[in-house]
Amino acid sequence: PKSGKTYRSPVYFRNQSEPYMTVGIPESGTNTGVTVAEVNLKFILDTISHIKIGEQGYAYIVDENGNLIAHPDISLVLQKKNLASLPQVRAARANPKTNTSPDATIGADTLGRQVLSNYQYIDSLAWFVFVEQPLSEAFAPIYASIARTATLLLIGVALAVAATLALARGLVAPIEA
């Protein structure tokens, strides 16, 4: 902090319960010093836990190394889970300066299920905020629309065939007579 920049420590856990971060802010003036504060990040956990995307979607935060900082499943955070191996986290870490992925991507969650994922990079903290929704839930409206369209198409073809047969019988009857 004496160099004039704010210091932010990596996230750590006190008594294996809640995440904390130490922040150091340089003071200006003749008697310069540093103000240091230890910040409890529980409010971030609470905020992330309340974010819902659809029925099963959720949000989580990882640091620049892929370490989980906040997740609706607090046990994953307390296990100090590293998500750097997930495809969406790996892609985000490869180019963090883009700040956000231009489009949602298909990735995997911690259970290996396919998810639709997007992220936002927080430059000042070097954190990534991800939002994810299971692929089956995300594409459910599209699948339902395809099913409705296919059903209507089949009904239309069946009606056309029935009308054609009726018309053909109507035309054939005078010829047979």
Side-chain angles (χ1 to χ4, degrees):
K2 287 188 175 185
S3 68
K5 296 180 181 177
T6 301
Y7 166 77
R8 292 173 189 87
S9 75
V11 175
Y12 57 92
F13 295 86
R14 182 189 287 168
N15 299 329
Q16 300 298 319
S17 64
E18 295 176 349
Y20 283 84
M21 170 185 264
T22 301
V23 178
I25 301 172
E27 296 176 356
S28 59
T30 56
N31 292 330
T32 61
V34 175
T35 301
V36 177
E38 187 174 53
V39 181
N40 185 333
L41 301 177
K42 184 177 181 341
F43 71 94
I44 292 176
L45 287 173
D46 293 340
T47 302
I48 287 293
S49 295
H50 288 95
I51 295 174
K52 290 297 246 180
I53 296 94
E55 294 292 320
Q56 301 173 18
Y58 54 90
Y60 62 92
I61 301 173
V62 297
D63 67 12
E64 62 190 340
N65 297 317
N67 297 315
L68 192 60
I69 294 170
H71 191 280
D73 183 357
I74 187 69
S75 67
L76 295 175
V77 177
L78 294 176
Q79 292 172 18
K80 300 177 184 172
K81 194 90 164 162
N82 185 295
L83 303 181
S85 63
L86 296 179
Q88 65 272 24
V89 175
R90 192 171 47 245
R93 289 179 61 226
N95 196 8
K97 298 301 179 192
T98 59
N99 276 355
T100 185
S101 61
D103 299 312
T105 58
I106 295 175
D109 65 5
T110 56
L111 301 174
R113 297 177 299 185
Q114 285 192 317
V115 293
L116 193 61
S117 179
N118 207 338
Y119 74 91
Q120 176 68 44
Y121 180 67
I122 302 172
D123 192 33
S124 60
L125 296 170
W127 290 357
F128 297 90
V129 179
F130 284 87
V131 290
E132 295 181 350
Q133 185 175 28
L135 211 53
S136 58
E137 182 182 349
F139 289 161
I142 295 169
Y143 296 148
S145 178
I146 290 170
R148 280 191 304 273
T149 302
T151 301
L152 290 173
L153 184 64
L154 288 174
I155 290 171
V157 167
L159 288 174
V161 167
T164 302
L165 290 175
L167 183 62
R169 283 188 183 155
L171 290 174
V172 171
I175 296 173
E176 288 179 349

